[in-house]
Amino acid sequence: MSARIVAFEALHDFIPLYPLYQLFFSHHGLSAAQISTLFVIWSATGFVFEVPSGAWADSYSRRKLLILGALLSGLGYAVWIALPSFAGFAFGFVLWGVSSALISGTYEAFVYDELAARDRSARYPMLISRARSASFVTNLAATALAAPLFDLGGYTLAGVVSVLSCVAQAVVAWSLPEARAVEVSESSTRAAVGSYLHMLRTGVSEVTTNRLVRRAVLLVALLGGFLAFDEYFPLLARDTGAATGVIPLLIAGTVAAQAIGGALAGPAYKLPAATFMAGLAASAVLIATGALSRSAWGFLPIAVGYGVLQLVIVVSETRLQDAITGPARATVTSVSGLFAEVSAIAVYGGFALGSVWFPMAVLVAALTVPVLLTAFVVPHALPPSPTEANEP
């Protein structure tokens, strides 16, 4: 099962259109404000569907939702290529937002509970670290492939390959085993609705009543919102004067750093919270320094900072899973995803408004301020590792 779990997440990020789609939008006449508006639509869709999809995953087959999520994302990319307009891009983002909501909390809960069913939950930190690292490696491969695909067949070819990757991800999801029983929730419509509402109440209750889980949920949400950085890296790279064919290579550096950060998250899982506080603070400084350099070389410190940010995110997400004690694991995780969407919407809105007066470099640097402030919250919000929890 482990290999298929890794393959599922790896295919999720094998999307050659990723490093090109902002440029694709710009090529079809969209301004920075319009592109940010699309990001808001994307996050707003996730906001609406995040928690309901988590409760659905807790009361229905998580494997089937992973299949559906993969197919919807592929359909979204297909819409972009077929209808290259603001309306088409918006519809594609709606599909992508629903897909992200279906997969986000469902995936983590699926992996954790499937391991627990086999008495292997202790393997979760290393497995999820491997899976995240693999996803960034395939993202790196897709990013490197984006330039030759663009030269060979333009945005259309990159989009077709992206759609095929989503179909392959759905096939892998179909092959996954599912030990958790779901027969009761699928037996009738009335039973399904009752099970759904029960899981929704149970998950939300755990977040509101368990202080450890509540703090971890909010920390993961804040950190997840900061991933909005990479949506603007292609535009930042363009502002340095880099050619379209070179931009994916600059982005590849940030993806490679994320892969390294994801791989190190497993071994770093048991380190004290103060270590991650320092790492997050350093990440903010590095990204701001790189952005304000307004040079292609600035992507070097940006990549290092982004890699450290990814390490802190994976550790925080993993410790959240360990802190959850109730049966509504996907719902709790989705609550975190809900607040992450709120955070991301604030970021996108800030970029949309700020782009009228400030260059992209200043806007990216400004986003590092809340990252720096969040670093000081880490010691209070990050759940203890098993080693820290057992200390007298």
Side-chain angles (χ1 to χ4, degrees):
M1 185 187 76
S2 296
R4 280 174 284 177
I5 289 294
V6 172
F8 176 84
E9 184 149 2
L11 286 168
H12 183 69
D13 280 328
F14 187 71
I15 309 295
L17 199 56
Y18 274 170
L20 295 172
Y21 73 81
Q22 299 94 333
L23 304 175
F24 181 43
F25 298 162
S26 180
H27 175 77
H28 284 279
L30 272 64
S31 65
Q34 287 177 308
I35 293 174
S36 290
T37 301
L38 290 174
F39 294 156
V40 171
I41 293 172
W42 179 26
S43 289
T45 304
F47 177 87
V48 171
F49 288 98
E50 188 71 46
V51 175
S53 69
W56 191 15
D58 284 327
S59 58
Y60 187 66
S61 169
R62 291 172 181 165
R63 182 177 68 89
K64 291 180 180 179
L65 294 187
L66 293 177
I67 296 171
L68 178 60
L71 293 176
L72 285 177
S73 61
L75 181 59
Y77 303 138
V79 169
W80 283 354
I81 299 302
L83 301 171
S85 62
F86 183 86
F89 297 147
F91 183 49
F93 265 124
V94 169
L95 292 171
W96 192 2
V98 175
S99 167
S100 298
L102 287 173
I103 292 176
S104 60
T106 305
Y107 170 75
E108 290 86 353
F110 176 87
V111 176
Y112 196 96
D113 282 346
E114 290 301 310
L115 289 174
R118 296 164 176 77
D119 294 322
R120 297 178 180 176
S121 56
R123 294 187 56 197
Y124 180 81
M126 290 302 298
L127 177 57
I128 208 70
S129 174
R130 283 174 51 202
R132 291 291 164 81
S133 181
S135 74
F136 288 119
V137 170
T138 55
N139 192 343
L140 178 61
T143 301
L145 190 61
L149 285 176
F150 177 79
D151 292 337
L152 185 62
Y155 296 111
T156 299
L157 182 58
V160 170
V161 174
S162 300
V163 171
L164 292 176
S165 179
C166 293
V167 173
Q169 186 190 19
V171 171
V172 172
W174 177 80
S175 73
L176 291 171
E178 186 166 27
R180 193 175 63 97
V182 293
E183 290 83 0
V184 174
S185 61
E186 296 179 345
S187 59
S188 69
T189 301
R190 184 174 181 179
V193 172
S195 179
Y196 169 84
L197 294 176
H198 171 70
M199 286 299 181
L200 181 61
R201 288 192 298 266
T202 301
V204 173
S205 176
E206 181 165 5
V207 174
T208 56
T209 60
N210 187 321
R211 184 173 64 176
L212 183 63
V213 171
R214 182 170 64 251
R215 289 180 176 180
V217 161
L218 293 176
L219 175 63
V220 172
L222 281 173
L223 295 174
F226 297 145
L227 291 178
F229 273 121
D230 58 17
E231 303 300 336
Y232 295 95
F233 284 164
L235 299 178
L236 178 66
R238 188 184 62 182
D239 285 354
T240 67
T244 300
V246 175
I247 290 176
L249 302 180
L250 295 178
I251 307 305
T254 66
V255 178
Q258 284 182 286
I260 295 171
L264 293 177
Y269 174 73
K270 296 182 179 180
L271 292 175
T275 304
F276 302 109
M277 177 183 72
L280 193 59
S283 174
V285 173
L286 286 166
I287 294 173
T289 300
L292 292 175
S293 72
R294 301 188 182 186
S295 164
W297 287 105
F299 273 82
L300 180 59
I302 287 175
V304 175
Y306 216 53
V308 175
L309 175 61
Q310 184 62 41
L311 185 152
V312 177
I313 288 174
V314 175
V315 169
S316 300
E317 291 176 340
T318 304
R319 292 200 186 180
L320 169 60
Q321 293 298 322
D322 282 338
I324 298 170
T325 58
R329 183 174 300 278
T331 305
V332 173
T333 307
S334 292
V335 170
S336 178
L338 170 70
F339 287 109
E341 296 297 347
V342 173
S343 177
I345 288 173
V347 170
Y348 297 145
F351 268 96
L353 293 174
S355 64
V356 178
W357 298 287
F358 302 104
M360 192 59 60
V362 173
L363 294 175
V364 171
L367 184 57
T368 64
V369 175
V371 177
L372 183 61
L373 295 176
T374 302
F376 297 99
V377 178
V378 169
H380 307 286
L382 186 67
S385 68
T387 302
E388 293 174 307
N390 294 330
E391 291 179 354

